[in-house]
Amino acid sequence: MKICMIGTGYVGLVSGSCFADLGNTVYCVDKDIKKINMLNSFQIPIYEPGLNEIVKKNYLAKRLIFTNNLKKAVISSDIIFICVGTPTSKNNKSADLQFVFKVAKEIASHINKFKIIVTKSTVPVSTGDKIEKIILKRKKRSLFEVASNPEFLREGEAIRDFRFPDRIIVGSDNKKVLRKLESLYEPLIKKGANFFSTNRRGAELIKYASNAFLATKISFINEIANLCEKTGVNVEDVSLGMGLDKRIGGRFLRAGPAYGGSCFPKDTKAITVTGDLYKTNLSIIKSVIKSNSDRKKLLVNRIKSILSNKIKNKKITFLGVTFKPNTDDMRESSSLLLIPYLNNNRAKVYYYDPSGFKKEFSRYKSVYFCDNLSKACNNSDLIIIHTEWDEFKTLDFKKISKNSKIKIFDMRNLYSHKKMKKNGYSYYSIGR
Ligand SMILES: NC(=O)c1ccc[n+]([C@@H]2O[C@H](COP(=O)([O-])OP(=O)(O)OC[C@H]3O[C@@H](n4cnc5c(N)ncnc54)[C@H](O)[C@@H]3O)[C@@H](O)[C@H]2O)c1
């Protein structure tokens, strides 16, 4: 099939490359010329394990085309996926749909024969209706169909998630569209992926409900971790004990920092706005948003208490600053609040992240990037394990810090509390 992805970011680039790998011809379009030039010279603009190889292989096979020529891509494709960002609006907490609507207008002006237009971007329920209206102003009804196919891939595991998804959700009332999308996904369905179709609004809401539910699970266990700390219970035992119940399940029950990333924070906010719009108070999700925001303050207080309120001139090392491992995505990471706070209170913050330097911290006077772990930890007063990259899992802290009184705050519970105490470390973790 000939398809086109408009927006070549985390979602458009990964899913476009993987569709090409299934044998389709894929146009990946982006308005960011720098990004397109990079891709055309084999440079991958994002950190995503395994992506490099897939891009190269399919680009060389001429199945994957990177372009900023939206017109040519639309004219050449049967299915057009909208994969642009839907960040939180600057005016309120809703999803900012300006990029989606702009793309809808652009697509409309280039439709020359029947096209299926699919939103992969996460969009509030009824956005498909609005896209349809925009296109109808410019083109006949018989020339297009608008469907929803929300994306569920996780950064850092995106290739695997594309190839082995738990489910593929498609929203459309049109049988021809459903058949076409089912045949696009057939190779994945044959390997066991569930293909679930519903109406367009249903698919749009499934995405938000799923993200809000996962965010709820994380916040739930984070609050239970707070109680564990006060009662001398190990939160990991609670997670395991709860997770063994099949109705609950063990995933997303690991206590840690506040949830972050490009999806949960914005999607939880956006769905509550949609709820309010339809006069439905989504009070659980509103509490989750508050709980997550409180968690960031709670972690600041925890760091202060570990350092006995003496932050000034302390060398504090962050191991990992992204919101999760195997990605370079900094959006809504807890480190974006913690590091500026420590900088403003005159600590010297050194950070090392396997995905490299972060421009987000360059305006802070006392925040320094280190290109290796030892440099970052050398003579540190406090090491904060912020992100669970594999390379942080088996460290000899005394050796790398050269400080026998080193304090360690393990926000990801990577180490055994017992062993760390036995080895004489001042070791702090979450919920145990
Ligand atoms: N990142 C994830 O893990 C993830 C997972 C599931 C769903 N989503 C959803 O997918 C959507 C995209 O997310 P992302 O993380 O890939 O965003 P992103 O910011 O990484 O990429 C969006 C891309 O769209 C491009 N773009 C914007 N307007 C354009 C236009 N008019 N023409 C061409 N290109 C244009 C931008 O230049 C950018 O490269 C969002 O709605 C997000 O919520 C993201």
Side-chain angles (χ1 to χ4, degrees):
M1 277 186 218
K2 287 191 172 164
I3 64 180
C4 122
M5 320 300 292
I6 305 185
T8 307
Y10 287 87
V11 165
L13 180 57
V14 170
S15 46
S17 310
C18 291
F19 276 134
D21 208 39
L22 295 177
N24 302 289
T25 300
V26 182
Y27 291 83
C28 281
V29 183
D30 208 287
K31 64 175 184 181
D32 183 343
I33 307 212
K34 221 171 103 193
K35 204 176 255 189
I36 293 300
N37 288 342
M38 277 178 84
L39 285 160
N40 278 322
S41 50
F42 296 130
Q43 284 171 277
I44 307 294
I46 57 170
Y47 182 102
E48 183 61 50
L51 185 58
N52 211 334
E53 294 77 3
I54 297 180
V55 168
K56 197 165 177 188
K57 176 180 147 202
N58 289 285
Y59 181 89
L60 291 174
K62 298 196 168 33
R63 280 193 298 264
L64 190 56
I65 300 129
F66 298 111
T67 178
N68 64 341
N69 188 340
L70 187 135
K71 179 179 175 183
K72 186 172 174 224
V74 168
I75 289 174
S76 312
S77 306
D78 308 311
I79 307 176
I80 298 155
F81 286 94
I82 300 178
C83 309
V84 296
T86 49
T88 301
S89 158
K90 288 202 173 78
N91 311 322
N92 56 28
K93 293 177 191 156
S94 67
D96 181 350
L97 295 173
Q98 60 165 310
F99 305 109
V100 172
F101 293 150
K102 188 161 180 282
V103 166
K105 282 181 200 154
E106 288 180 58
I107 295 170
S109 57
H110 302 308
I111 291 177
N112 55 338
K113 59 180 174 58
F114 181 75
K115 308 278 175 194
I116 300 174
I117 296 145
V118 187
T119 44
K120 238 191 197 315
S121 297
T122 304
V123 292
V125 57
S126 84
T127 303
D129 306 6
K130 292 174 187 150
I131 294 175
E132 195 172 288
K133 270 193 195 144
I134 289 174
I135 302 177
L136 260 181
K137 278 191 189 157
R138 292 156 178 89
K139 290 285 143 87
K140 279 196 302 199
R141 188 70 194 80
S142 57
L143 274 180
F144 72 95
E145 273 295 329
V146 177
S148 166
N149 170 217
E151 183 52 66
F152 295 97
L153 55 77
R154 294 162 300 167
E155 288 171 17
E157 320 250 3
I159 309 285
R160 199 203 141 276
D161 284 352
F162 181 93
R163 288 178 171 163
F164 303 100
D166 289 339
R167 80 296 208 194
I168 295 152
I169 305 284
V170 171
S172 171
D173 288 327
N174 183 305
K175 287 205 174 95
K176 191 174 150 194
V177 169
L178 291 177
R179 269 201 306 274
K180 188 96 176 162
L181 289 171
E182 192 168 356
S183 79
L184 175 67
Y185 280 111
E186 196 180 64
L188 310 183
I189 297 166
K190 273 190 177 154
K191 283 191 297 181
N194 290 305
F195 184 86
F196 179 74
S197 64
T198 173
N199 62 16
R200 191 169 62 205
R201 288 185 171 205
E204 290 169 337
L205 194 50
I206 286 170
K207 173 67 190 177
Y208 277 99
S210 302
N211 274 2
F213 189 75
L214 292 173
T216 304
K217 262 187 123 176
I218 296 174
S219 295
F220 180 88
I221 200 66
N222 279 343
E223 286 198 359
I224 295 294
N226 296 343
L227 182 60
C228 288
E229 281 165 21
K230 302 263 167 64
T231 51
V233 175
N234 184 339
V235 71
E236 286 175 345
D237 291 347
V238 178
S239 299
L240 280 170
M242 282 177 69
L244 287 172
D245 184 331
K246 289 195 180 73
R247 293 170 303 174
I248 298 173
R251 294 174 71 190
F252 280 74
L253 273 187
R254 284 191 57 203
Y259 62 75
S262 61
C263 294
F264 291 174
K266 78 173 175 65
D267 294 346
T268 43
K269 285 179 203 151
I271 193 177
T272 61
V273 176
T274 306
D276 290 345
L277 197 69
Y278 287 91
K279 303 206 171 357
T280 306
N281 183 16
L282 299 176
S283 63
I284 296 177
I285 306 174
K286 285 178 183 170
S287 316
V288 167
I289 296 167
K290 176 157 189 328
S291 170
N292 199 54
S293 153
D294 289 348
R295 182 144 197 89
K296 293 182 192 163
K297 292 171 214 151
L298 187 141
L299 291 178
V300 164
N301 288 335
R302 190 86 194 279
I303 295 171
K304 275 162 68 178
S305 118
I306 291 171
L307 289 171
S308 313
N309 278 321
K310 289 178 187 128
I311 294 178
K312 195 175 160 188
N313 291 328
K314 287 281 188 304
K315 175 171 176 178
I316 302 177
T317 301
F318 271 71
L319 294 185
V321 287
T322 53
F323 79 101
K324 67 169 177 176
N326 298 322
T327 181
D328 56 350
D329 200 342
M330 284 295 291
R331 288 177 280 188
E332 300 278 341
S333 174
S334 291
S335 67
L336 292 173
L337 183 127
L338 299 175
I339 291 183
Y341 174 86
L342 296 169
N343 170 79
N344 296 344
N345 284 277
R346 304 221 242 147
K348 295 187 186 84
V349 182
Y350 289 71
Y351 73 92
Y352 165 70
D353 190 285
S355 70
F357 169 81
K358 303 294 166 211
K359 63 179 183 333
E360 286 80 357
F361 300 125
S362 45
R363 66 195 167 100
Y364 297 105
K365 230 172 53 195
S366 309
V367 180
Y368 311 94
F369 168 68
C370 299
D371 59 9
N372 73 61
L373 198 141
S374 308
K375 258 193 233 168
C377 294
N378 189 24
N379 280 317
S380 192
D381 296 294
L382 171 66
I383 294 177
I384 296 176
I385 304 174
H386 176 270
T387 316
E388 70 271 43
W389 290 86
D390 278 347
E391 63 184 277
F392 304 153
K393 289 180 178 167
T394 50
L395 299 175
D396 181 340
F397 291 98
K398 278 184 191 155
K399 204 167 145 194
I400 55 169
S401 69
K402 299 190 186 89
N403 175 5
S404 58
K405 291 193 183 136
I406 181 75
K407 293 181 172 181
I408 298 150
F409 183 15
D410 179 1
M411 289 188 180
R412 299 291 180 172
N413 290 352
L414 296 185
Y415 289 84
S416 144
H417 206 278
K418 243 192 197 159
K419 266 195 201 155
M420 294 297 271
K421 289 271 175 218
K422 209 169 131 197
N423 290 339
Y425 288 117
S426 298
Y427 176 78
Y428 308 84
S429 57
I430 301 279
R432 42 183 210 169

